Amino acid sequence: MNTRDDTFYMHQALVQARKAAAADEVPVGAIIIDPRGEIIARAYNQVEHRQTQVAHAELRALAQAGKKRGWRLDDCWLYVTLEPCAMCMHAIKLSRISGVVFATSSPIFGYQLDNHATFPVYQWPMMVKSGVCAHESAQLLKDFFKHKRRAPSGSQK
């Protein structure tokens, strides 16, 4: 069994989150690793750029990984800098990913807020771990939104 270095992989997801921030997107990044620990997908939020709610980092990473391995991502792990929303978490479960590691919780859109909205089709055994590089991820988000609040009203999207 391969031992995962959660901090290393979360740092790779944070690289993606910084790319999102540089593109004026909410700084969320995601990667997916295969059973050998190789990164098979890297993505960041592109909701504003693509003008679609399905351009979340997690969904983009799932699509990339699916092109390499097929849609069933058994024994793969997803690392994301912010707790997935319910939409993303259901897609993650449908992809049959073995585990999700997220850095910081989302008090507004996190899937845990929608725990009552589960469906039997989503009952795939999956491990979830939180708090890996939480401070770094939370600070990136705080800095991004602090900058957005300071920006002149005409420059916000």
Side-chain angles (χ1 to χ4, degrees):
M1 184 172 117
N2 184 37
T3 303
R4 295 181 334 274
D5 181 348
D6 291 340
T7 302
F8 171 80
Y9 292 120
M10 190 59 73
H11 278 269
Q12 299 304 305
L14 282 161
V15 167
Q16 296 302 305
R18 288 184 194 96
K19 288 180 182 181
D24 204 27
E25 297 276 354
V26 175
V28 178
I31 66 157
I32 296 176
I33 64 168
D34 69 11
R36 295 182 316 255
E38 293 182 27
I39 298 172
I40 60 171
R42 300 172 193 267
Y44 57 88
N45 269 0
Q46 289 193 341
V47 173
E48 296 298 332
H49 174 73
R50 295 179 182 229
Q51 287 297 293
T52 178
Q53 59 277 38
V54 297
H56 286 194
E58 301 94 307
L59 298 181
R60 294 186 62 241
L62 288 173
Q64 280 181 29
K67 288 179 182 176
K68 292 181 181 174
R69 287 186 43 120
W71 70 270
R72 289 178 185 91
L73 300 173
D74 308 65
D75 299 322
C76 292
W77 281 72
L78 181 138
Y79 289 78
V80 62
T81 58
L82 183 64
E83 176 186 2
C85 68
M87 172 183 69
C88 290
M89 188 55 97
H90 288 312
I92 291 164
K93 287 181 179 182
L94 281 174
S95 72
R96 300 180 180 170
I97 279 200
S98 293
V100 173
V101 179
F102 66 87
T104 192
S105 297
S106 175
I108 300 171
F109 297 111
Y111 81 92
Q112 295 178 88
L113 300 172
D114 292 327
N115 255 350
H116 66 280
T118 59
F119 304 98
V121 73
Y122 296 115
Q123 299 307 314
W124 179 256
M126 181 177 68
M127 294 180 62
V128 176
K129 182 177 180 179
S130 64
V132 177
C133 302
H135 176 74
E136 199 171 341
S137 179
Q139 192 62 52
L140 185 61
L141 287 157
K142 286 177 191 173
D143 292 347
F144 175 80
F145 286 112
K146 186 178 186 181
H147 173 74
K148 292 300 265 183
R149 285 190 295 274
R150 285 189 191 154
S153 61
S155 68
Q156 290 183 340
K157 294 181 181 180

